[in-house]
Amino acid sequence: MATNSEHSIVNSALAKDRLGAGGVAQFALTAAAPLLVVAGLVTTGWAVTGVTGIPAGFIALAAIFAIFAVGYLAMARRIVNAGALYTYVAAGLGRPAGLATATVTLLAYSALQVGLYGALGPVTADLMHTQFGWNLSWWVYSLTAWALVAILGVLRVDLNSRILAILLTAEVLLVVVITVVGLANPAGGNLSFSTLAPSNLITAGSAVALAIAVTGFIGFEQAPVYAEESRNPRRTVPIATYAALALMTVLYAGASWAMSVTAGPDAIVDAAREHPTDLMFFLAAPHLGDNIGTIGAILFISSMFAGLLAYHNAVARYAFALGREQVLWRGFGRTALRTSAPITASVVQSVTGLGVILVYALAGWNPMVQLFFWGGTTGALGILLALTATSAAVIAYFARVGGAESVWQKIIAPAIATVALAVVIWWTLTNYSTLLGVEPGTVWAWALPTAYAVAAAIGAGWALILAGTRRDVYEGIGRGVNTSSDDLEVTSGVPVGGVRR
Amino acid sequence: MRLADDLFLIALDDRTGRFRLEAGTLGLGLGGAMLAELVLAGTIVLSPERVTVRPRASPPDSVTHAIMELLAAEPQHSLRTWVTFLARDAVEKTAERLVRDRLIRREETRTLLLRPGVVTYPAVDPSQVFWRSARVTKLIEDQAITEWSDCVLVGLTNATGLTRLLLRDADDAARHYMQWLIEQLDSSPGLPHLFTAIAQAAAARAMTNRR
């Protein structure tokens, strides 16, 4: 990319097609789906875990992520690659660690995406029941959304960015209004700060509050993915990252605190258990009228749908990038000629989603808790692992290559972030049964985290096999779609151009 | 602009007038074709980081003249940046030329939605369009390519993925011949870099949202 931008016809023409900070932040926030977090994740979190200090968790985690971002963004300026996380780990900690991060991240995003079907179905079913008296099962709506996502994914059609911007703005406004009204009408007449208090972070429930908060913030790490598409990556990406992080923190901590204030900190868990899909709007209804429930539910559903599509595309692109590097099955690197969509990866994710929805429907498992909440928190654990590895990779990378960045960027901030994130992971793992709301020792409490150990072992093991057998492919790990090539391969089933090193 | 014209017509469905390849990726191929044309004319040299205009080089025609002037004026851009830049209006420009040459017509269908109309390019004589793909397929299957320009055309169809259509029914011998053919361009002034740049930019499209 050219650095000399003054009066360049080429640069100014290309800049028109590129994203500004607002555009990049919008993509990050769409993946985060703010209304989904406050109206779905937080309320389900209260109901499942009984831990009230979730608002404090958001603030503590925002601080950790802000420090993490210092090193992360310094590295993003050096390595412009749409694969982001795993390419940084490959560059810093070596290719086996990079590939382990890739498989863990892929599994995590996939769990987050499929998990969303578990919330969209029940919320839509409730809305249809109250509005039209329909009594269809949750999975009917989940499958409808699934079909739409599957089709849009293959056609490489994203929701129009203007429509997304309007929906996102409406969501944010709704959250702000409900927050302000909620704080103005505290239960019992006195404003309680108890759910925000730092003391929440030294109780047994702190791990749970932090783990739930991680789920909410996922998406903030996405800005460097858009570096190549942005007008001025050096400015755009950091602004978008910090802006998204700041907005999320204010919205999440504010809205969840307000809900606890309106219901009363002692009553919030019971209220959440009584209103699994509409707590936020139920609490606001006495002050804003009954229509707030309908408006809220519609925006809630659109927020989830936008999130579903965003995650679907994120998973498909991740698998596509790995397929092109030939580190995963190379079929993943195939695109559809007519649409340039990463077709195989997209279809595989859709088939996964369909399978999971059908299993939950047939087994009669609780979609809101066992699919949405478990998928979301388990996905968050995977992203947390990847972020921690990335943070450690930043230190290793700068130790090796040096550079003009400050010691704060190269060592101190990433070191603090690595330790803090590692502590959060440790707490989360030791409290996993509380997080899932199951008895300690239940199979799920160890099986879900173990899946990441298996994924990481497969990734690292495969990298070591490649190192011994296919050195050319091994050397290419972490190059993403920028894999360079001297020869073009022409066999069927090879991606566009079939690039090989 | 023989290369760009051929690539455009290969990508076109002679029955429907729609593209068989996503238009953005086709644009990258056409942008690459313009550069390849200049390489074949001996006026530029390509490397991944730079596109260098040879001293005292004269452009082969008026279309390439403007491109050459810009290449000389802004030497700081990478090859991939140039491909992306030239791709922006390459489909429209190539279509205009082919409409003038009476090979295709331009038709715009109005849609009820807020979207702009859908543009199709029906063939004036479908056999003339079909022939462009059939010729290349036959040349590869017969292992009978003798012109450098055809060799480059094969490289461009491969970089954009169009060979998946051209060689849909071909056997392994044809595929190996094609690979061998593209390797013959390794000694050219940078054409393999051009194919790589096109393939990378095309892959980057799969990583991005359509806006």
Side-chain angles (χ1 to χ4, degrees), chain B residues 3 19 21 44-45 87 92 100-103 108 110 113 118 121 123 132 134 139 146 153 161-163 186 191 207:
Chain B
L3 282 174
F19 292 120
L21 176 69
I44 59 171
V45 177
E92 288 77 17
R100 267 204 311 276
D101 293 346
R102 294 179 192 283
L103 280 159
E108 194 164 343
R110 298 238 169 264
L113 297 165
V118 177
Y121 298 102
R132 304 276 178 146
L139 279 174
T146 53
L153 182 60
L162 274 173
T163 38
D186 279 355
L191 285 171
M207 297 288 287

Side-chain angles (χ1 to χ4, degrees), chain A residues 2 8-11 13 17 27 156 158 228-229 317 334-335 337-338 340 482-483 485 488 490 496-497, chain B residues 19 21-22 25 74 77 80 88 158-159 161 164-165 178 195-196 200 203 205-211:
Chain A
S8 161
I9 294 169
V10 173
N11 284 346
D17 304 336
F27 281 121
R156 201 166 70 93
D158 284 271
E228 268 190 278
E229 289 179 76
R317 286 165 194 167
R334 192 178 176 86
T335 56
L337 276 183
R338 276 178 197 275
S340 287
N482 282 326
T483 305
S485 149
L488 292 151
V490 195
V496 178
Chain B
F19 292 120
L21 176 69
E22 188 250 331
T25 302
E74 299 190 14
H77 304 297
R80 184 161 154 192
R88 294 180 75 243
N158 191 45
R164 273 157 56 188
L165 291 174
M178 176 156 128
F195 301 147
T196 304
Q200 281 179 358
R205 289 191 69 74
M207 297 288 287
T208 58
N209 296 24
R210 194 186 270 186
R211 288 187 294 276

Side-chain angles (χ1 to χ4, degrees), chain A residues 323-398:
Chain A
R324 261 189 75 84
E325 287 186 354
Q326 301 190 20
V327 292
L328 282 193
W329 175 47
R330 58 160 65 170
F332 278 138
R334 192 178 176 86
T335 56
L337 276 183
R338 276 178 197 275
T339 60
S340 287
I343 179 112
T344 315
S346 189
V347 169
V348 168
Q349 179 61 17
S350 292
V351 171
T352 309
L354 177 64
V356 171
I357 296 171
L358 290 180
V359 166
Y360 273 77
L362 292 173
W365 291 337
N366 182 333
M368 203 71 194
V369 172
Q370 287 165 303
L371 183 52
F372 166 64
F373 191 68
W374 289 12
T377 48
T378 303
L381 175 65
I383 300 299
L384 203 53
L385 291 164
L387 292 177
T388 312
T390 305
S391 197
V394 172
I395 305 172
Y397 174 79
F398 282 114

Side-chain angles (χ1 to χ4, degrees), chain B residues 35-36 39 44-48 50-52 79 188-191 193-194:
Chain B
L35 293 173
V39 172
I44 59 171
V45 177
L46 308 177
S47 78
R50 289 282 176 273
V51 175
T52 317
L79 178 54
S188 71
L191 285 171
H193 300 307
L194 177 64

Side-chain angles (χ1 to χ4, degrees), chain A residues 146 262 288 308 389 402 429 442:
Chain A
W146 170 85
T262 316
L288 291 169
L308 267 173
L429 288 176
T442 312

